[in-house]
Amino acid sequence: MPKMVEVNVEYTQNTETAIQYQQRYWAGTYIPALFDQKIYTPQMSAENGQAVGADTIKKSSCVSPNAEDHVTFAMQYIELGFDHLFFHSAHPDQRAFLEGYGRDVLPQIRRRSER
Protein backbone atom coordinates (compact mmCIF):
# COMPACT_ATOMS: atom_id res chain seq x y z
CA MET A 1 0.00 0.00 0.00
CA PRO A 2 1.17 3.55 -0.61
CA LYS A 3 2.57 5.49 2.29
CA MET A 4 1.09 8.98 2.10
CA VAL A 5 1.64 12.17 4.04
CA GLU A 6 0.33 15.70 3.73
CA VAL A 7 2.82 18.42 4.58
CA ASN A 8 2.23 22.12 5.04
CA VAL A 9 4.46 24.36 2.99
CA GLU A 10 4.58 28.00 2.01
CA TYR A 11 6.76 28.94 -0.96
CA THR A 12 6.85 32.71 -0.84
CA GLN A 13 9.05 35.69 -0.18
CA ASN A 14 6.57 36.97 2.41
CA THR A 15 7.07 34.37 5.12
CA GLU A 16 5.40 36.41 7.86
CA THR A 17 2.14 36.63 5.93
CA ALA A 18 2.40 32.95 4.97
CA ILE A 19 2.64 31.97 8.63
CA GLN A 20 -0.41 34.11 9.36
CA TYR A 21 -2.35 32.22 6.67
CA GLN A 22 -1.31 28.91 8.23
CA GLN A 23 -2.45 30.17 11.64
CA ARG A 24 -5.72 31.51 10.29
CA TYR A 25 -6.79 28.53 8.20
CA TRP A 26 -4.92 25.42 9.38
CA ALA A 27 -3.62 25.99 12.92
CA GLY A 28 -5.86 23.24 14.26
CA THR A 29 -3.94 20.68 12.21
CA TYR A 30 -0.84 21.44 14.28
CA ILE A 31 -2.60 20.14 17.40
CA PRO A 32 -2.04 16.37 17.79
CA ALA A 33 -5.34 16.05 19.66
CA LEU A 34 -7.14 16.74 16.40
CA PHE A 35 -6.06 13.29 15.24
CA ASP A 36 -6.18 11.18 18.39
CA GLN A 37 -9.11 12.65 20.32
CA LYS A 38 -12.73 13.35 19.51
CA ILE A 39 -12.40 16.79 17.90
CA TYR A 40 -15.00 16.59 15.20
CA THR A 41 -16.00 20.09 14.17
CA PRO A 42 -14.14 22.85 12.34
CA GLN A 43 -15.07 25.17 15.22
CA MET A 44 -13.38 22.87 17.72
CA SER A 45 -10.33 22.66 15.50
CA ALA A 46 -10.20 26.46 15.20
CA GLU A 47 -10.50 26.88 18.94
CA ASN A 48 -7.65 24.46 19.59
CA GLY A 49 -5.61 26.10 16.84
CA GLN A 50 -5.60 29.40 18.73
CA ALA A 51 -2.88 27.94 20.91
CA VAL A 52 -0.57 27.47 17.90
CA GLY A 53 2.16 30.06 17.56
CA ALA A 54 4.43 30.95 14.67
CA ASP A 55 7.27 28.89 16.16
CA THR A 56 5.19 25.70 16.01
CA ILE A 57 4.40 26.33 12.35
CA LYS A 58 8.04 27.04 11.53
CA LYS A 59 9.13 23.77 13.19
CA SER A 60 6.42 21.59 11.63
CA SER A 61 6.29 22.95 8.10
CA CYS A 62 8.51 24.57 5.51
CA VAL A 63 7.99 28.31 5.11
CA SER A 64 10.67 29.64 2.80
CA PRO A 65 11.26 31.38 -0.52
CA ASN A 66 14.20 29.01 -1.14
CA ALA A 67 13.43 25.95 -3.30
CA GLU A 68 16.32 24.01 -1.75
CA ASP A 69 14.75 24.35 1.71
CA HIS A 70 11.58 22.74 0.35
CA VAL A 71 13.50 19.94 -1.33
CA THR A 72 15.36 19.17 1.89
CA PHE A 73 12.07 19.26 3.83
CA ALA A 74 10.40 16.84 1.38
CA MET A 75 13.38 14.48 1.28
CA GLN A 76 13.14 13.81 5.02
CA TYR A 77 9.70 12.27 4.41
CA ILE A 78 10.90 10.27 1.42
CA GLU A 79 13.80 8.95 3.51
CA LEU A 80 11.26 7.87 6.15
CA GLY A 81 9.57 5.73 3.50
CA PHE A 82 6.71 7.92 2.30
CA ASP A 83 6.10 7.52 -1.42
CA HIS A 84 3.20 9.95 -1.88
CA LEU A 85 3.64 13.49 -0.60
CA PHE A 86 0.82 16.02 -0.72
CA PHE A 87 1.98 19.60 -0.41
CA HIS A 88 -0.49 22.00 1.15
CA SER A 89 -0.28 25.78 1.14
CA ALA A 90 -2.80 27.97 2.96
CA HIS A 91 -2.00 30.98 0.78
CA PRO A 92 -5.07 32.23 -1.08
CA ASP A 93 -3.20 32.48 -4.39
CA GLN A 94 -3.14 28.75 -5.11
CA ARG A 95 -2.30 29.26 -8.79
CA ALA A 96 0.92 31.09 -7.93
CA PHE A 97 1.82 28.41 -5.39
CA LEU A 98 1.17 25.53 -7.80
CA GLU A 99 3.04 27.18 -10.66
CA GLY A 100 6.05 28.11 -8.53
CA TYR A 101 6.25 24.78 -6.71
CA GLY A 102 5.74 22.85 -9.93
CA ARG A 103 8.48 24.81 -11.66
CA ASP A 104 11.08 25.21 -8.90
CA VAL A 105 10.61 22.50 -6.28
CA LEU A 106 8.92 19.36 -7.61
CA PRO A 107 11.42 18.64 -10.42
CA GLN A 108 14.27 18.74 -7.90
CA ILE A 109 12.46 16.40 -5.52
CA ARG A 110 11.82 13.94 -8.36
CA ARG A 111 15.47 14.02 -9.44
CA ARG A 112 16.76 13.50 -5.92
CA SER A 113 14.31 10.77 -5.02
CA GLU A 114 15.20 8.75 -8.15
CA ARG A 115 18.84 8.42 -7.10
Side-chain angles (χ1 to χ4, degrees):
M1 290 189 59
K3 295 177 185 166
M4 299 180 268
V5 65
E6 179 178 347
V7 293
N8 292 333
V9 297
E10 297 293 345
Y11 185 52
T12 179
Q13 294 290 332
N14 192 340
T15 58
E16 185 175 315
T17 299
I19 289 171
Q20 290 172 358
Y21 285 130
Q22 286 285 331
Q23 286 176 305
R24 175 189 264 167
Y25 299 116
W26 293 103
T29 65
Y30 291 93
I31 303 289
L34 180 68
F35 304 102
D36 64 10
Q37 295 179 18
K38 294 181 179 182
I39 299 176
Y40 291 112
T41 68
Q43 180 181 351
M44 292 170 81
S45 176
E47 289 169 0
N48 282 300
Q50 291 175 4
V52 174
D55 288 344
T56 299
I57 292 170
K58 288 176 187 176
K59 289 178 190 175
S60 302
S61 63
C62 184
V63 180
S64 173
N66 183 339
E68 183 59 33
D69 292 342
H70 288 269
V71 173
T72 300
F73 182 72
M75 290 307 297
Q76 71 182 344
Y77 290 96
I78 292 169
E79 290 166 4
L80 287 171
F82 290 97
D83 51 17
H84 289 75
L85 279 64
F86 297 91
F87 299 98
H88 179 263
S89 169
H91 197 283
D93 190 351
Q94 291 293 293
R95 180 180 296 275
F97 167 72
L98 292 170
E99 289 173 352
Y101 224 71
R103 178 189 60 241
D104 303 334
V105 179
L106 296 179
Q108 290 186 57
I109 293 170
R110 283 187 195 104
R111 278 194 297 275
R112 259 200 228 168
S113 65
E114 291 172 354
R115 294 182 190 168

